[in-house]
Amino acid sequence: MVRLITHNLLACHVKGCTSNNFPLQFRDVQIELREAEFNPDFLRGFMPKLEWKALVDASRQLGDTSLPPEVPEMLDDDFLKNLHHVLLEIHVEEGVMTCPNCRHEYPILNGIPNMLLAEHEIG
Amino acid sequence: MIPTPDLSHLTAKDYDTVYEPAEDTFLLLDALEADEQQLKSLHPTISLEIGSGSGCVTSFIGKILGPSVLYLCTDINPHACRCTLSTGAQNDVALDAINGSFANPLSARLKHAVDIVLFNPPYVPTVPYEASAAQGARGIEGAWAGGLDGMSVTDVFLECVEELISDRGRFYLVAVAENNIPEIRERMRTRHGLQSEIVLSRRAGRERLSVLKFVRDPSMVRT
């Protein structure tokens, strides 16, 4: 399962591809929604690790428009519930993630992102 | 007493291509259990296991630390990634499996951000080329074949682990005597500012196994 929390941490790592290599762009995705237990402490703790714009863009690519473009000042329960859904309940099961810089394609198969590179692509 | 994760869903066929938990795995579980209170008081946000194989180790630490942690697992073997996911599900631990090498696809975004790093590497000394061939094949041999001194895979990761761990982070590594544990510890201290201790050691057949734990040396200022 590629959840958006994981997608927010993955960058292209092809040799020499070091700028504009994040976030990877989704294409041809199949999504499953799976309920997860709401854990506001975890979400608050994770907020500093997130690249917010990348998360908002990715969630919109997947059809969810519940997150505001800027991080709100008050992390109230309504906001945290939307964040919970976007980060942890949307699972990309199949599809492709493309690097915005070098266009390298990382396939997702059975919920597992294939981030392996060929020998000549390794930095 | 934290129970060993339930692996009853894995079959002999899975273990044809994925390393079956053995004495080295169990020593790492015991070391994590010995550190249970420390790990809890760390209040970690991100745990990362390199070469997660069956998923046994991260499922175990998931039982210790509960759902307030993101559990990331990487493995070069795609079948191991599937086993990692299914073992997480079997044990009710939400973990994310990434088919990748070391922390390579995560390192740009997780600079000094990982609180717990776990690595039970292919540590068995073999002829030099065997480790790289095994890694290239992405099958079960890659789970144990370690090349000369058993360090050819571990050495690659030791060069980049400091970049991953957070200020309060810790890195658990399984090693055998042939890996030259005193040299590993000295190298990590002088080159990367990580101090270490041996959490547990045990003899298992011919193997003299240890679990090392590395943390930032508080006297070394990170630049």
Side-chain angles (χ1 to χ4, degrees), chain A residues 3 34-40 42-43 84 88-89, chain B residues 67 92 94:
Chain A
R3 304 185 291 181
R34 286 185 225 157
E35 225 169 281
E37 200 173 319
F38 181 55
N39 185 342
F42 171 71
L43 295 168
H84 167 77
L88 304 172
E89 294 189 323
Chain B
D92 208 18

Side-chain angles (χ1 to χ4, degrees), chain B:
Chain B
M1 179 78 187
I2 301 146
T4 303
D6 178 5
L7 300 173
S8 61
H9 58 294
L10 299 180
T11 64
K13 198 164 178 301
D14 292 317
Y15 295 134
D16 284 345
T17 47
V18 178
Y19 187 73
E20 181 171 7
E23 286 304 322
D24 51 322
T25 320
F26 301 130
L27 187 70
L28 180 53
L29 300 190
D30 290 347
L32 295 171
E33 184 164 13
D35 275 359
E36 177 181 0
Q37 291 313 318
Q38 269 188 45
L39 288 167
K40 283 180 173 162
S41 60
L42 193 65
H43 296 293
T45 307
I46 299 178
S47 163
L48 169 64
E49 183 180 6
I50 308 299
S52 57
S54 65
C56 181
V57 175
T58 288
S59 296
F60 185 80
I61 203 166
K63 285 293 176 200
I64 294 179
L65 295 170
S68 291
V69 181
L70 177 67
Y71 299 101
L72 297 169
C73 300
T74 70
D75 204 298
I76 56 166
N77 173 348
H79 191 67
C81 291
R82 289 192 285 276
C83 290
T84 293
L85 276 189
S86 63
T87 298
Q90 180 84 359
N91 291 279
D92 208 18
V93 172
L95 46 77
D96 293 70
I98 297 162
N99 189 197
S101 186
F102 301 108
N104 295 351
L106 298 161
S107 54
R109 284 281 291 119
L110 291 182
K111 279 211 171 25
H112 302 300
V114 185
D115 301 309
I116 300 168
V117 178
L118 305 161
F119 190 22
N120 182 1
Y123 55 69
V124 179
T126 57
V127 291
Y129 65 82
E130 193 172 345
S132 54
Q135 293 298 303
R138 289 162 186 168
I140 193 161
E141 297 82 4
W144 53 266
L148 207 61
D149 303 328
M151 285 297 287
S152 66
V153 177
T154 309
D155 276 341
V156 178
F157 190 62
L158 292 184
E159 281 304 303
C160 51
V161 66
E162 187 278 331
E163 286 260 287
L164 286 169
I165 60 174
S166 65
D167 284 347
R168 63 209 169 109
R170 52 199 51 219
F171 164 44
Y172 292 88
L173 175 73
V174 179
V176 288
E178 290 83 354
N179 299 154
N180 193 352
I181 289 168
E183 188 279 325
I184 296 174
R185 298 180 64 188
E186 177 62 16
R187 176 175 15 148
M188 296 309 282
R189 190 183 66 79
T190 55
R191 286 195 15 199
H192 302 289
L194 299 178
Q195 59 183 31
S196 57
E197 61 179 281
I198 296 175
V199 186
L200 278 180
S201 290
R202 187 177 295 159
R203 183 179 275 279
R206 288 187 310 164
E207 291 185 340
R208 287 169 294 159
L209 291 159
S210 292
V211 175
L212 311 184
K213 174 171 61 178
F214 298 87
V215 297
R216 254 176 228 297
D217 184 341
S219 68
M220 305 268 284
V221 179
R222 174 153 63 79
T223 51

Side-chain angles (χ1 to χ4, degrees), chain A:
Chain A
M1 55 203 193
V2 180
R3 304 185 291 181
L4 289 190
I5 194 169
T6 309
H7 171 263
N8 202 258
L9 302 176
L10 293 173
C12 181
H13 56 111
V14 168
K15 185 178 180 176
C17 184
T18 51
S19 63
N20 188 35
N21 57 344
F22 170 87
L24 303 175
Q25 293 159 352
F26 285 117
R27 182 164 58 72
D28 300 336
V29 293
Q30 286 175 38
I31 289 168
E32 270 181 34
L33 301 179
R34 286 185 225 157
E35 225 169 281
E37 200 173 319
F38 181 55
N39 185 342
D41 289 341
F42 171 71
L43 295 168
R44 283 198 191 88
F46 211 88
M47 283 291 296
K49 312 263 190 209
L50 291 171
E51 284 283 345
W52 188 256
K53 187 180 179 309
L55 179 66
V56 173
D57 289 351
S59 66
R60 291 184 180 190
Q61 274 186 37
L62 301 183
D64 187 297
T65 55
S66 64
L67 294 182
E70 305 291 334
V71 180
E73 279 176 27
M74 283 285 292
L75 305 183
D76 61 23
D77 254 22
D78 280 348
F79 166 76
L80 289 174
K81 281 189 172 143
N82 289 335
L83 180 62
H84 167 77
H85 177 70
V86 166
L87 279 181
L88 304 172
E89 294 189 323
I90 302 175
H91 296 248
V92 179
E93 290 297 316
E94 309 286 333
V96 176
M97 295 183 293
T98 306
C99 172
N101 182 45
C102 75
R103 314 308 299 175
H104 187 87
E105 296 193 339
Y106 297 95
I108 300 168
L109 264 166
N110 299 313
I112 297 168
N114 179 351
M115 303 301 291
L116 290 166
L117 298 174
E119 200 63 45
H120 67 277
E121 297 164 331
I122 296 170

